[in-house]
Amino acid sequence: MKYLTALLVVLLLIPVASAQVLRVEMSPQTLLPNDVADCKLLVSFPQRTYVGGITFYHPPSIDVEPESVSGVGWVQSYELPFTIRAKESGVFVVDVVINTPNGSIKQAFTVRVLREMPEIILDRTTFYLNEVNGVGFTISTPLDISDVVVVPLFDANPKVIRVENMKGFFEFLPKRPIPLKFKIEFYNGKNYHEVVRTVVVKYEKSRGVLVNATPEYSNVLMGDVVRIDVQVSNLRHDTIFNVRLNVSGAKSVVIPMLKAGESRSFEFEWSANSAGEKLIKVDVSFLDDFNDRYQDRTFVRVNVSNETALIFSGVNVERTINGITVSGDVCNNGRSKVYNVIVYANGRSYYIGTVDPSDFDSFEITLHNATTIHLKAVWTNEVGKTFEISKELKVPILKFKEEEKGGVLPMVVAIGTLAFVIFIAFLAWRRR
């Protein structure tokens, strides 16, 4: 009897075994419906303890595999791998019961199953038609997802975006207003998912590229050079490239790049070969970031008078016993310089050179016998174009005959008479 009492005292002194550490690790920690989580149950005892079995008690909305194990044996620390499969969304509690000779150890852990899929949030929601729009975005989700890929379901660059740190960037050129659809592909743990998200955005009309062309003068002379000021402004919200400005009849200009809101100004020189109202074409072309080319055209109106910039003035033809002399002035009535001015008369030339605006220079050419003189002036303007003017002149032949009849013969008679009188007077004086 006393031995039985001693045994009861010893049994009463043995404490019920308790786990020093009991925790559950889940990957991923938050699930979506039909996801599978890889889990571990970690148990640690202060001393070696006999574990008869471990059982998981769970609601029907999730599955645990295995639900129980038996005959674990003597352990001080123990690791049990298991899996959880979520059937539907919600927050669920799983109870773990560890059976030992000294009693059961109970522990509970929570399984969270969400229905919310990732969202895509654009940095901007207003876009411009017929422009390259650059867009940044952020992936928003309560899940710890990985290997995220965004596929724009419209024409964009790049076509597949690999997301880093939940952020990405793409460009697109909308031709018409459309909602933006994206397919988001990702992994939640080892579970693959994809979802399509639609973002409703606003579109505005592009302001395009503005070309403003203004002539220095609206009324000019033929052959005169007028300067046309051209300003090109990029009113778009993107950068454009290889901007080419061309004024008809003038040299073209190429701008490698024009940023959004940037303007450049140029001066073109233009001249007309004929009179009348002229519509000068000013063309602009450029490339966007997608290498698409755009073209536009505007016009400048200039009236060209039926008069050349260089004219003859004060032309005189004189015939003498030594030949025929043609003289006069060439006047520059234009607003630009003229160069290499040469005056021709029946094949003979007189070089003048440069004549400034509103200035003149004189010429004189001596010819041999002629009845008609073809007078011509040739010059080059400031843009290298060559012009000429001409006129026909008649030689006043009658003036030469009058000198021959009424001028030379009477003079000879008078001189002879005077010499005869002097000779008679000299003889009379000698006789005295």
Side-chain angles (χ1 to χ4, degrees):
M1 182 70 180
K2 66 178 180 180
Y3 290 109
L4 179 59
T5 303
L7 179 60
L8 291 174
V9 172
V10 171
L11 292 174
L12 290 174
L13 291 176
I14 298 175
V16 174
S18 62
Q20 190 176 33
V21 176
L22 191 158
R23 73 176 190 273
V24 174
E25 294 180 354
M26 290 182 57
S27 178
Q29 293 184 348
T30 304
L31 302 178
L32 292 169
N34 298 316
D35 275 358
V36 175
D38 292 325
C39 308
K40 290 180 182 179
L41 174 65
L42 303 174
V43 183
S44 179
F45 298 96
Q47 59 189 15
R48 285 176 61 83
T49 302
Y50 182 81
V51 176
I54 301 175
T55 304
F56 296 95
Y57 296 93
H58 59 85
S61 297
I62 60 174
D63 288 334
V64 179
E65 180 65 33
E67 288 188 334
S68 64
V69 292
S70 60
V72 174
W74 289 91
V75 295
Q76 186 169 357
S77 62
Y78 181 69
E79 179 179 300
L80 173 63
F82 65 98
T83 61
I84 293 178
R85 179 182 296 275
K87 296 180 180 180
E88 58 185 47
S89 61
V91 179
F92 310 104
V93 176
V94 178
D95 293 319
V96 183
V97 176
I98 302 173
N99 297 315
T100 68
N102 297 321
S104 298
I105 303 170
K106 294 182 179 181
Q107 182 73 38
F109 65 92
T110 302
V111 177
R112 290 179 173 83
V113 183
L114 302 182
R115 188 169 292 279
E116 292 82 5
M117 299 289 276
E119 300 281 351
I120 182 168
I121 301 174
L122 302 184
D123 292 351
R124 49 184 286 205
T125 56
T126 300
F127 302 102
Y128 298 90
L129 297 173
N130 298 309
E131 292 186 12
V132 176
N133 294 264
V135 191
F137 64 84
T138 303
I139 300 298
S140 175
T141 178
L143 304 172
D144 185 17
I145 60 178
S146 62
D147 298 326
V148 183
V149 173
V150 172
V151 180
L153 301 179
F154 52 92
D155 191 10
N157 182 36
K159 298 186 180 302
V160 177
I161 308 165
R162 303 201 174 275
V163 177
E164 296 183 3
N165 299 320
M166 295 298 148
K167 293 185 178 296
F169 180 86
F170 67 94
E171 294 178 323
F172 81 113
L173 194 157
K175 301 291 186 180
R176 57 185 178 84
I178 57 171
L180 301 184
K181 291 186 177 182
F182 304 87
K183 182 172 70 171
I184 306 173
E185 303 173 355
F186 62 95
Y187 281 89
N188 185 36
K190 63 181 181 181
N191 306 283
Y192 173 80
H193 294 275
E194 61 181 50
V195 62
V196 174
R197 294 300 191 192
T198 301
V199 182
V200 178
V201 297
K202 178 183 177 182
Y203 291 93
E204 293 184 2
K205 186 178 179 181
S206 173
R207 296 178 63 189
V209 174
L210 177 66
V211 177
N212 186 22
T214 306
E216 184 182 13
Y217 306 103
S218 57
N219 296 284
V220 297
L221 301 172
M222 278 191 296
D224 199 10
V225 175
V226 60
R227 288 163 181 81
I228 300 175
D229 295 322
V230 178
Q231 183 184 62
V232 55
S233 302
N234 182 13
L235 303 182
R236 296 162 55 108
H237 296 78
D238 58 344
T239 299
I240 57 177
F241 305 90
N242 194 28
V243 183
R244 183 180 297 272
L245 281 175
N246 183 68
V247 176
S248 58
K251 294 181 179 180
S252 61
V253 171
V254 177
I255 310 168
M257 180 178 66
L258 204 59
K259 296 180 179 179
E262 188 177 4
S263 298
R264 295 283 299 276
S265 297
F266 300 91
E267 186 180 84
F268 294 85
E269 294 180 328
W270 176 87
S271 68
N273 297 330
S274 59
E277 185 180 71
K278 306 295 181 181
L279 288 178
I280 305 171
K281 293 182 294 185
V282 181
D283 293 313
V284 60
S285 65
F286 58 90
L287 299 175
D288 63 20
D289 200 31
F290 285 176
N291 215 33
D292 292 332
R293 180 166 292 279
Y294 300 79
Q295 293 180 330
D296 198 6
R297 172 176 289 177
T298 187
F299 293 92
V300 175
R301 192 181 302 272
V302 176
N303 293 313
V304 182
S305 173
N306 193 22
E307 181 182 351
T308 56
L310 203 67
I311 63 171
F312 288 116
S313 177
V315 177
N316 181 53
V317 180
E318 184 178 7
R319 184 165 191 170
T320 66
I321 58 174
N322 296 321
I324 303 169
T325 301
V326 184
S327 62
D329 301 323
V330 285
C331 301
N332 182 5
N333 291 335
R335 296 184 175 95
S336 57
K337 286 185 178 183
V338 294
Y339 301 91
N340 303 318
V341 181
I342 304 176
V343 179
Y344 295 92
N346 290 11
R348 305 199 67 179
S349 63
Y350 185 94
Y351 181 78
I352 292 178
T354 302
V355 181
D356 291 329
S358 301
D359 200 1
F360 70 94
D361 209 335
S362 301
F363 66 90
E364 183 177 288
I365 302 175
T366 301
L367 303 173
H368 297 300
N369 190 31
T371 58
T372 302
I373 298 174
H374 180 69
L375 188 66
K376 181 175 68 172
V378 180
W379 74 94
T380 303
N381 66 9
E382 290 184 351
V383 296
K385 291 184 177 181
T386 301
F387 297 85
E388 67 175 57
I389 54 173
S390 61
K391 65 188 306 182
E392 297 290 330
L393 304 170
K394 290 185 178 181
V395 178
I397 57 177
L398 292 177
K399 183 178 181 180
F400 178 78
K401 290 181 179 180
E402 288 174 357
E403 289 180 353
E404 186 176 30
K405 286 183 178 180
V408 179
L409 185 57
M411 186 178 295
V412 172
V413 173
I415 293 173
T417 303
L418 179 60
F420 178 75
V421 172
I422 294 174
F423 179 71
I424 296 300
F426 178 72
L427 290 179
W429 180 79
R430 289 288 303 269
R431 288 176 182 175
R432 291 181 185 178

